[in-house]
């Protein structure tokens, strides 16, 4: 039940990304059973390839706690993290990562590879996947369907203007 509550808050953050035209991924960092930081995808608007939801939430949490290491913190994110984000999570020393939908193209929590299971790495973060996976996945599907429909509409309008 606890994981569902925090994942719903991450979904709220994902809606913030959508509202700005960003891929709707959201994240929250939890410390001592309270949300201390949030983030949502912003690479397009910030012109920053590292501005993924997870990174934005980690940056905010580190600033709030005054430490780049976040022991005792958990991160909830709506989409399976990529390699960049997984690496940042491990460097932050998170106790646990919880994600929603799997990402078969760039997911590094089991879809492509599981970086969290690499024994040679010096820190091991707990991992839980599939929390509200259907809702998280549907949000992404709806976003991309809306984008495709808008693109097709623009193409038709351009064809009519050129005719």
């Amino acid at each position: 039940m606890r994981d569902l509550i925090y994942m719903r808050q991450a979904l709220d953050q994902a809606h913030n990304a959508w509202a700005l035209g960003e891929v709707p991924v959201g994240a929250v960092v939890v410390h001592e059973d309270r949300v201390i930081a949030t983030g949502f995808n912003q690479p397009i608007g910030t012109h920053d390839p590292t501005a993924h939801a997870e990174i934005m939430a980690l940056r905010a949490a580190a600033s709030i706690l005054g430490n780049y290491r976040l022991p005792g913190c958990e991160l909830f994110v709506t989409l399976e993290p990529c390699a960049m984000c997984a690496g940042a999570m491990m460097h932050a020393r998170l106790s646990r990562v919880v994600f929603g939908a799997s990402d078969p193209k760039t997911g590094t929590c089991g879809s492509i590879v599981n970086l969290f299971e690499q024994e040679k790495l010096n820190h091991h973060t707990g991992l839980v996947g599939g929390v509200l996976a259907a809702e998280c996945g549907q949000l992404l599907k709806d976003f991309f369907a809306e984008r495709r429909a808008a693109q097709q509409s623009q193409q038709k309008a351009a064809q009519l203007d050129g005719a």
Side-chain angles (χ1 to χ4, degrees), residues 1-7 9-10 26-39 53-54 57-58 60-62 65 69-77 81 89-90 92-99 116 123 125-128 131:
M1 184 60 142
R2 179 180 176 279
D3 288 356
L4 298 176
I5 291 167
Y6 293 127
M7 189 59 73
Q9 291 181 41
V28 299
V29 175
V30 175
H31 182 253
E32 296 177 352
D33 276 328
R34 65 185 178 92
V35 173
I36 62 163
T38 62
E54 301 96 309
L58 288 173
L65 295 179
R69 290 200 171 149
L70 304 172
C73 290
E74 301 167 282
L75 186 139
F76 293 78
V77 61
M89 291 170 193
M90 286 184 264
R93 305 294 197 260
L94 293 174
S95 63
R96 191 166 79 118
V97 172
V98 180
F99 70 89
F116 293 91
H123 180 71
T125 301
L127 182 65
V128 175
V131 175

Side-chain angles (χ1 to χ4, degrees), residues 4 15 22 25 28 35-36 47 55 58 63 72 78 83 94 96 109-110 113 122 145 147 152 159-160:
L4 298 176
H15 285 281
E22 303 275 0
V25 177
V28 299
V35 173
I36 62 163
H47 309 290
I55 300 298
L58 288 173
S63 179
T78 58
L94 293 174
R96 191 166 79 118
C109 299
V113 67
N122 68 334
R147 276 185 126 178
Q152 289 172 352
Q159 287 173 348
L160 291 174

Side-chain angles (χ1 to χ4, degrees), residues 95-151:
S95 63
R96 191 166 79 118
V97 172
V98 180
F99 70 89
S102 294
D103 185 348
K105 294 182 180 180
T106 64
T108 59
C109 299
S111 289
I112 303 298
V113 67
N114 191 335
L115 291 180
F116 293 91
E117 286 182 346
Q118 299 301 311
E119 291 180 18
K120 291 183 180 181
L121 294 174
N122 68 334
H123 180 71
H124 300 282
T125 301
L127 182 65
V128 175
V131 175
L132 296 179
E135 284 182 53
C136 294
Q138 192 61 53
L139 183 64
L140 289 160
K141 288 176 187 173
D142 292 348
F143 173 79
F144 286 112
E146 182 181 276
R147 276 185 126 178
R148 282 189 299 276
Q151 187 176 34

